[in-house]
Amino acid sequence: MHHTLEEYKKAIKIKYEIEKEAEHFDFLYNPSRGKLRDLCWLIFENNPTKEDLNVFRNLFCLDFDHTKKNKFKEQKDKFRPIETFFKGETDPSNIDAINLAAVMVDFQPRPFKKFNEKYRIEEVKQIEITDKANAVVEIEKEVIGVECLVKNEHEESKEHPKKGNLWFDFAATFSKKIGQKIYPRKIITIGIGAVALMSSALLYFVQKKD
């Protein structure tokens, strides 16, 4: 969680660098506790979310109330860690102050709990993507290995033809030659006879060799 909190603070600081040049330039460009207090009140006057109201309550130990502005002005010192955080002077550890800093620069997702949940989900997704990519690579390696094996076997079969192929080739050639010189009605009979004759010769040759 500490790692995620550091990412949260970095992201808020990046958003601050953008916002200090934008709409709330007068409050954020050279922040002071008084300016940040006034900006905070301005933000919470404009329909704050339930989560932002919880952040306000946790840090100031009171509920936001439009009728208690004078009492809120007494809270100026609570903005000191936010001021020094924006200026890069300190690295705050108070999660409530960090969450309020996120509110003041309109950083999303906030508060930290929501940011942490999203960060973890993205982390899991990234792990799943990496695992799938590794699985695809392994499958591709296996496919390439099989292709190489088949190719090698095919080349070896060309280099070392099986015994007996020569006899079958001779039988086919002999039948073809005979067929070309005989009338069509006798081709089938002669062809069958030639194949039978060559098969018998091949069987005799194999038995004799054994």
Side-chain angles (χ1 to χ4, degrees):
M1 181 172 290
H2 177 72
H3 174 70
T4 315
L5 180 59
E6 292 304 312
E7 294 298 325
Y8 183 55
K9 288 189 284 187
K10 287 179 183 178
I12 294 171
K13 191 67 184 297
I14 290 171
K15 189 66 161 58
Y16 164 74
E17 295 298 329
I18 297 171
E19 292 299 318
K20 75 177 185 179
E21 304 283 353
E23 180 182 358
H24 296 137
F25 172 87
D26 292 338
F27 298 99
L28 296 174
Y29 186 77
N30 186 24
S32 65
R33 282 169 283 175
K35 288 180 180 180
L36 294 175
R37 177 202 59 196
D38 295 343
L39 175 60
C40 180
W41 185 265
L42 179 65
I43 291 171
F44 277 87
E45 277 186 321
N46 293 288
N47 300 318
T49 65
K50 181 179 179 180
E51 290 175 330
D52 289 349
L53 288 172
N54 287 336
V55 170
F56 186 98
R57 183 186 304 110
N58 290 338
L59 182 62
F60 301 112
C61 299
L62 55 89
D63 291 324
F64 178 78
D65 188 338
H66 292 273
T67 65
K68 297 181 179 180
K69 187 173 183 178
N70 289 333
K71 184 175 182 180
F72 178 72
K73 287 183 177 180
E74 300 173 1
Q75 303 292 329
K76 186 170 68 172
D77 286 342
K78 292 289 181 70
F79 290 91
R80 181 173 179 78
I82 301 175
E83 174 195 354
T84 54
F85 171 56
F86 284 158
K87 289 180 176 180
E89 296 174 356
T90 60
D91 183 17
S93 57
N94 185 335
I95 190 64
D96 296 319
I98 297 169
N99 281 330
L100 186 60
V103 173
M104 297 182 72
V105 297
D106 195 24
F107 173 79
Q108 294 288 358
R110 67 173 189 264
F112 174 66
K113 180 181 178 181
K114 186 179 290 186
F115 177 88
N116 184 57
E117 289 173 354
K118 183 177 180 180
Y119 188 94
R120 294 305 178 191
I121 291 172
E122 292 298 325
E123 197 173 51
V124 170
K125 286 181 179 179
Q126 188 60 43
I127 292 172
E128 290 177 349
I129 291 172
T130 302
D131 289 344
K132 287 179 180 179
N134 290 337
V136 170
V137 170
E138 290 301 319
I139 292 173
E140 289 178 347
K141 287 180 179 179
E142 290 180 4
V143 170
I144 292 172
V146 171
E147 289 177 347
C148 291
L149 180 61
V150 171
K151 182 178 179 181
N152 291 337
E153 290 183 350
H154 182 64
E155 290 176 351
E156 289 176 1
S157 66
K158 287 182 178 180
E159 294 174 359
H160 305 285
K162 293 181 180 179
K163 293 180 180 179
N165 285 355
L166 182 60
W167 289 96
F168 286 113
D169 291 342
F170 177 75
T173 303
F174 179 79
S175 299
K176 184 176 180 181
K177 293 291 185 180
I178 294 298
Q180 290 175 349
K181 296 181 181 181
I182 301 175
Y183 293 106
R185 64 177 176 271
K186 295 183 179 180
I187 289 176
I188 296 176
T189 303
I190 297 299
I192 293 173
V195 171
L197 178 62
M198 297 309 300
S199 297
S200 298
L202 176 61
L203 180 61
Y204 173 77
F205 176 78
V206 172
Q207 290 176 345
K208 184 177 180 180
K209 187 176 180 180
D210 293 340

